[in-house]
Amino acid sequence: MVLVLLVGFGYLNNSSLLVATPQEPPLLLAHRGVAQTFDMTDVDGDTCTAEIIDTPTHDLLENTIDSIAAAFDAGADLVEFDVHITADDRFAVFHDWELDCRTDGTGTTRDHTMAQLKQLDIGYGYTADGGATFPFRGEGVGLMPSMEEVLTEFPEQPLLMHIKSDDPREGQVLAERLAHLPDSRLELLTVYGGDAPIEQLRERMPGLRVMSKDIMMSCLLQYELYSWTGIVPEVCRNTQLHVPEGYAPLLWGWPVRFVDRMASVDTRVVLVAGSGDWSEGFDTVESLSRIPEGYTGLIWTNRITDIVGSVR
């Protein structure tokens, strides 16, 4: 009888069938703003994606002020951008560890000052035809923004910042740079990245929403262990969870109760496509059919302009 009661409680407490299905559409997370697209087949950490772009349909380059603005204008609820620490302890908004792929510079991004990075042409290496033409060469000079410029340009919009290293010092310096921001701005900012810098950042700014692989794995493992009861683990509070679509159905109360539980502890849920490797997103209208009914969290997309009309 006790076992039957427990099973019954677990079902009733976690079934989304027994709660009203929300009518709101999911929210949209635009990865790197509006960017040049490319085929993700066989892409790995060493692939220079600027050399394999699709035929351009717009002139925007990822991680720029204009690309972030275009994403918000298109309907993004949250825009992600990447940061690297610079040689003079600033933060440059740029994806790659090395400069050689996209720019006319060479060497490691973090070994240059912000002023030096500002001199580079960030559109230099883009080609859609194997190097026969370079449509953005000469167009990207001075377009690499600093983190401060992005935060100043978008003072009231939700932003997701990605620390591209696992250097603990980077979290310490970032905390110093963000400490002067008002609480109203920090509430709209989320930072994710390597375990080491995020640990340092969370220690110094406990009120800031942050995420790392360690935080996410600890949260989801503890959630699976006992959150059939409806209790949300402490580690899940005030963070952001990037949940691969293949794993999501295994979560207690997915999707409606799970998203509601996380919202109750100020945690955002982001559904990513496939296994979540290499920034897989819901990038086609067809892929949207895989989003479960009633899901109201964020969905990760690399092509917001292609899908926004079918979501809203």
Side-chain angles (χ1 to χ4, degrees):
M1 180 62 69
V2 172
L3 179 60
V4 169
L5 290 173
L6 285 174
V7 171
F9 172 76
Y11 175 78
L12 293 173
N13 200 42
N14 290 283
S15 175
S16 291
L17 297 175
L18 302 179
V19 294
T21 301
Q23 299 304 305
E24 314 92 84
L27 304 174
L28 295 171
L29 189 164
H31 181 221
R32 306 187 207 169
V34 177
Q36 298 302 316
T37 58
F38 53 88
D39 185 350
M40 288 191 175
T41 305
D42 298 326
V43 168
D44 60 30
D46 295 323
T47 303
C48 176
T49 57
E51 296 178 347
I52 58 170
I53 62 169
D54 302 320
T55 301
T57 59
H58 59 78
D59 60 358
L60 294 169
L61 299 174
E62 65 179 50
N63 280 313
T64 59
I65 296 293
D66 287 345
S67 74
I68 296 172
F72 280 124
D73 289 344
D77 299 285
L78 181 66
V79 176
E80 188 259 15
F81 65 96
D82 305 300
V83 295
H84 286 275
I85 198 168
T86 64
D88 52 347
D89 282 352
R90 302 278 299 282
F91 283 90
V93 179
F94 189 65
H95 175 270
D96 298 351
W97 190 264
E98 303 287 340
L99 297 168
D100 306 64
C101 168
R102 296 179 200 281
T103 82
D104 53 346
T106 59
T108 305
T109 304
R110 65 194 291 123
D111 290 338
H112 294 68
T113 66
M114 193 69 237
Q116 290 170 331
L117 295 172
K118 282 284 189 182
Q119 303 303 310
L120 300 178
D121 178 5
I122 64 170
Y124 187 85
Y126 285 82
T127 180
D129 50 19
T133 61
F134 293 87
F136 305 113
R137 186 165 287 185
E139 302 298 320
V141 178
L143 292 188
M144 188 188 301
S146 67
M147 177 192 70
E148 290 86 356
E149 288 175 302
V150 170
L151 295 178
T152 298
E153 186 70 24
F154 304 100
E156 298 179 353
Q157 289 92 336
L159 294 167
L160 172 61
M161 186 187 311
H162 186 190
I163 300 176
K164 300 296 292 184
S165 83
D166 197 30
D167 180 359
R169 181 177 175 276
E170 201 155 331
Q172 298 168 11
V173 177
L174 183 58
E176 295 172 2
R177 297 291 177 269
L178 298 178
H180 72 281
L181 295 176
D183 290 343
S184 58
R185 184 68 192 91
L186 293 175
E187 288 174 1
L188 296 173
L189 184 64
T190 303
V191 184
Y192 77 117
D195 293 332
I198 292 300
E199 181 181 2
Q200 293 296 320
L201 186 59
R202 193 175 218 185
E203 180 180 313
R204 288 162 172 76
M205 303 187 72
L208 181 67
R209 183 185 293 109
V210 297
M211 188 200 79
S212 66
K213 184 177 180 180
D214 181 64
I215 291 172
M216 186 171 70
M217 294 300 295
S218 296
C219 166
L220 293 180
L221 285 173
Q222 291 183 42
Y223 185 87
E224 291 292 74
L225 282 174
Y226 62 81
S227 288
W228 58 273
T229 63
I231 299 172
V232 180
E234 185 66 29
V235 69
C236 295
R237 296 175 181 271
N238 195 37
T239 186
Q240 180 164 299
L241 303 175
H242 294 183
V243 183
E245 62 173 320
Y247 179 75
L250 303 177
L251 296 168
W252 297 110
W254 178 261
V256 178
R257 290 183 187 267
F258 179 80
V259 172
D260 286 349
R261 286 170 183 165
M262 293 303 159
S264 72
V265 294
D266 197 29
T267 287
R268 293 189 181 124
V269 179
V270 181
L271 185 63
V272 297
S275 63
D277 291 338
W278 306 115
S279 304
E280 292 178 83
F282 292 89
D283 297 336
T284 64
V285 172
E286 292 74 20
S287 69
L288 298 176
S289 64
R290 306 200 305 267
I291 298 172
E293 184 179 5
Y295 177 73
T296 55
L298 289 149
I299 60 173
W300 183 285
T301 183
N302 300 293
R303 306 188 183 209
I304 186 169
T305 54
D306 289 356
I307 69 165
V308 64
S310 297
V311 174
R312 300 286 158 75

